[in-house]
Amino acid sequence: MDLTEFRLSPAPLPPELLDLPDDLLERSASDGTIEENFEEELARAPEVYAEIASSLDESFAELNGTGLIEVVGDDEVGRRIIVVSACRLPPSKDLHPDKLLTYLMFTLDKYVEQDYSVVYFHCGLTSKNKPPLSWLWRAYKAFDRKYKKNLKALYLVHPTNFIRIVWQMLKPAISVKFGRKMMYVNYLHELQQYLNLEKLCIPDAVLEYDKLLLSKNPRAAEMARQNTEPVEKAPAPTEVPAPLKDSLSPPPTQQFGVSLQFIKENNVNMVGSIPPVVRQCVEFLSQPDALETEGLFRRSANISVTKELQRSCNRGEPVRFRNDPHNAAVLLKTFLRDLEEPLMTFDLYDEILKFQTWSNRDKPRQVKILILERLPLDNYKLLKYIIQFLWKVQDRSCLNKMTSSNLAVVFGPNLAWPPNGQMSLQAIVPINAFTDFLLENQESIFII
């Protein structure tokens, strides 16, 4: 292969690297800034994907069912987590590389408008399913600034020497800023310090490969054992002595990781059905300067600051947002995401997924049945409070660039998720469309 197409001048690659696509995700970078064309980049609303989803789903049928790309919720600071598993990539003979590129771009289009992270499991990429190296370069050029801007971290799990060599070869053409975002992760237990592994839908092949690597490295195996031992040896709830149970119960002021019912029954600062942390976040964000912040709810916050704010809330202390609207925005999303049960409840999840099958004529009636008749009263009051606040946010979209559709992309997955916590790509579109409908029609839906 003529390497002049790469416009690089390193030493020639060995033959076994000439068709290596191991770096197929290392094309996205982010500096976290907001561009002048921010509003244009946010223009593609959830309903756009709804209109073309059926035809594209049919076109991508062989990929949609593979689990090649999964969206597994948000991390601790509100960044969407996208998992790509090379072991689930179909054989190259069954999949044209250009179709793979189109599928990757179409899938990422739904999430790149907000801060996000990518976890790439390299295990399972073989000579049978890897695209050619020339495709890798085309993919890099295809993933333009739109895809690179909001990527905050790329975790490359189980990297091989091939990946490291190709990375060094392509490094002259890659942004320096991207290099700061990409992290090699040699073992799964190393990833635990960044993300909750239980959320990641890790393929069995990756788990087995990790065990194989650990069996060859006793020191790494010992570190992995130390990381997992507290979880494995934790006593089951039935084994906790009665006197100890009370000391393990959340304090009355706890707001994160508990139910709405717990907060209502225990928190003395509760006003009506609105938890104190939600009220404090909304009141802070309702100030004109905060409400008009460009990209509000799109940006992540410093994880240490977010953790400290959570601890303050759980101790019942007033929250100090350090005059940063993004701190309050992330804390509000984190509260919703950490509820024991989603605000829209598990019982309504399957019904929400049917939203796009309802006719436009039936949607108002069906949504009102879910919201007014089937949603618990406390959930209803809190949902109404949040949706009416978000209406104020989208009303200033000329300044903050957050339309109802953009807010739906952010809040939809934080209002509804399945009991197992793992949301499929196919579920994202109806959930976002349902949330957008709530925002657009809040005056007629929330009547009490």
Side-chain angles (χ1 to χ4, degrees), residues 55-299:
S55 60
L56 284 174
D57 282 346
E58 182 177 351
S59 176
F60 296 138
E62 74 272 34
L63 291 172
N64 282 335
T66 62
L68 171 63
I69 303 178
E70 295 286 351
V71 179
V72 294
D74 296 348
D75 63 17
E76 293 179 331
V77 291
R79 300 169 185 164
R80 195 59 45 84
I81 305 171
I82 300 174
V83 176
V84 181
S85 303
C87 64
R88 292 173 172 168
L89 189 64
S92 298
K93 63 181 181 64
D94 299 331
L95 177 67
H96 194 282
D98 289 343
K99 188 171 186 179
L100 171 61
L101 179 58
T102 303
Y103 176 70
L104 291 172
M105 295 178 70
F106 169 69
T107 303
L108 290 176
D109 271 349
K110 306 169 189 177
Y111 311 103
V112 298
E113 296 165 353
Q114 60 183 306
D115 290 349
Y116 72 103
S117 299
V118 171
V119 178
Y120 170 55
F121 293 120
H122 179 61
C123 166
L125 195 66
T126 68
S127 59
K128 294 182 179 180
N129 66 356
K130 60 184 177 183
L133 186 58
S134 58
W135 175 88
L136 172 63
W137 186 246
R138 291 201 306 274
Y140 167 68
K141 292 188 290 185
F143 284 104
D144 57 19
R145 180 68 175 171
K146 170 184 176 180
Y147 301 91
K148 300 173 183 177
K149 183 169 69 71
N150 290 330
L151 178 69
K152 295 304 179 184
L154 168 60
Y155 303 99
L156 206 160
V157 184
H158 298 142
T160 63
N161 288 334
F162 288 168
I163 286 182
R164 300 176 192 274
I165 293 173
V166 172
W167 168 249
Q168 289 300 319
M169 183 192 75
L170 297 180
K171 200 170 183 179
I174 304 299
S175 167
V176 174
K177 293 179 180 179
F178 171 76
R180 302 191 188 106
K181 306 297 182 182
M182 195 273 290
M183 286 177 276
Y184 290 131
V185 180
N186 296 311
Y187 305 97
L188 290 177
H189 69 269
E190 296 176 353
L191 190 61
Q192 182 71 58
Q193 62 183 303
Y194 305 107
L195 302 171
N196 182 355
L197 297 186
E198 294 180 357
K199 280 187 173 183
L200 296 188
C201 307
I202 303 175
D204 290 340
V206 175
L207 294 172
E208 291 301 319
Y209 183 69
D210 192 68
K211 291 180 181 178
L212 177 63
L213 292 179
L214 290 175
S215 69
K216 298 178 180 180
N217 189 333
R219 183 175 180 181
E222 175 61 21
M223 294 179 63
R225 187 190 65 78
Q226 291 176 359
N227 283 355
T228 59
E229 186 178 47
V231 176
E232 293 176 352
K233 292 188 175 181
T238 55
E239 299 174 340
V240 178
L244 187 58
K245 287 183 180 179
D246 293 337
S247 64
L248 294 179
S249 300
T253 53
Q254 181 93 10
Q255 296 185 71
F256 287 85
V258 294
S259 65
L260 288 179
Q261 188 66 24
F262 177 90
I263 299 174
K264 181 178 181 180
E265 293 177 353
N266 293 277
N267 201 298
V268 296
N269 296 319
M270 185 85 164
V271 178
S273 297
I274 312 302
V277 61
V278 174
R279 190 174 295 279
Q280 291 177 77
C281 288
V282 168
E283 290 178 352
F284 178 84
L285 292 170
S286 295
Q287 299 175 87
D289 288 346
L291 201 60
E292 297 168 2
T293 300
E294 190 169 344
L296 188 65
F297 292 110
R298 288 282 184 186
R299 298 290 174 248

Side-chain angles (χ1 to χ4, degrees), residues 23 207 324:
D23 246 349
L207 294 172
D324 187 342

Side-chain angles (χ1 to χ4, degrees), residues 291-347:
L291 201 60
E292 297 168 2
T293 300
E294 190 169 344
L296 188 65
F297 292 110
R298 288 282 184 186
R299 298 290 174 248
S300 55
N302 183 282
I303 187 169
S304 61
V305 173
T306 301
K307 288 295 185 183
E308 180 54 38
L309 291 176
Q310 287 181 258
R311 287 192 289 268
S312 295
C313 290
N314 287 337
R315 291 192 296 261
E317 301 170 355
V319 184
R320 303 184 184 278
F321 297 112
R322 305 187 182 187
N323 203 31
D324 187 342
H326 297 302
N327 287 337
V330 168
L331 197 67
L332 178 58
K333 291 190 296 180
T334 302
F335 171 81
L336 293 172
R337 185 171 61 252
D338 283 359
L339 285 172
E340 285 187 353
E341 183 179 33
L343 191 56
M344 289 302 303
T345 74
F346 292 131
D347 288 341

Side-chain angles (χ1 to χ4, degrees), residues 10-28:
L13 285 175
E16 63 268 23
L17 292 184
L18 292 182
D19 64 343
L20 182 69
D22 296 326
D23 246 349
L24 61 88
L25 285 180
E26 295 183 355
R27 307 297 140 234
S28 297

